[in-house]
Amino acid sequence: MIALAPQWQDALPDALFLAPHAPQRCSMMGTGYQWWGLSGFEPSALAAGAASVAPAINAFIDQKLTQYGLTDSDLALVGFSQGTMMALHVGLRRSQQVAAIVGYSGILTSITDLPLEHPAKPPTLLVHGTADPVVPLKALHSAESELQGIGVPTTTHSSHGLGHSVDPVGIRLGRDFVSDSFTNELSA
């Protein structure tokens, strides 16, 4: 995801872009990394996997926010595939609301354990290819329905003919969404 930084920098000139690598080589795709081993997309396995690595991601986020004198309102979480799973899992459970979540070609792992009294409801953009052979497009529609059902403002975009990837339209939409979210945060 760090490759987005040069493409987003003009719209976010004061932004600091950080992209932690997942710790494991991806067993399903030889060139990528994964946060936990994926053997399938069963909801219980996805929820357990996301919950198992969330503490490490939260520790990284907390360390970087402290290091740079920032707060959660200064934070946008952006992910692709399993990174989307983690951006949604972590972003919806932070004790303070993040500015935005952008997810490309991913799945909402679970919302059943979200605290009901004060759940974070960050503006969320989900982008997915209609021809994704790894994560089916129905994951986008399911996530949209579940997020809107708990009051998370959710915007979606389907990129016609796109596989498990991010296209220029998705890059632009993500950039503008994050930029607008920070602008709205400043004016609030």
Side-chain angles (χ1 to χ4, degrees), residues 49-82:
S52 72
V53 298
I57 295 171
N58 275 311
F60 174 83
I61 291 169
D62 292 339
Q63 175 192 18
K64 294 304 178 182
L65 290 176
T66 299
Q67 179 181 351
Y68 293 103
L70 301 170
T71 67
D72 282 64
S73 66
D74 301 312
L75 175 66
L77 297 173
V78 180
F80 172 77
S81 195
Q82 198 179 52

Side-chain angles (χ1 to χ4, degrees), residues 17 23 32 74 81 140 145 160 184:
F17 295 88
D74 301 312
S81 195
L140 171 93
S145 175
H160 183 71
N184 292 339

Side-chain angles (χ1 to χ4, degrees), residues 116-176:
L116 296 177
E117 56 279 356
H118 299 293
K121 295 178 181 165
T124 300
L125 170 67
L126 302 174
V127 179
H128 211 108
T130 62
D132 190 330
V134 178
V135 178
L137 180 62
K138 68 180 181 179
L140 171 93
H141 301 301
S142 175
E144 178 183 28
S145 175
E146 289 185 64
L147 291 171
Q148 288 179 343
I150 61 168
V152 174
T154 306
T155 303
T156 63
H157 173 77
S158 300
S159 292
H160 183 71
L162 183 68
H164 196 62
S165 187
V166 182
D167 65 1
V169 172
I171 291 170
R172 180 184 49 78
L173 290 170
R175 178 201 65 207
D176 294 348

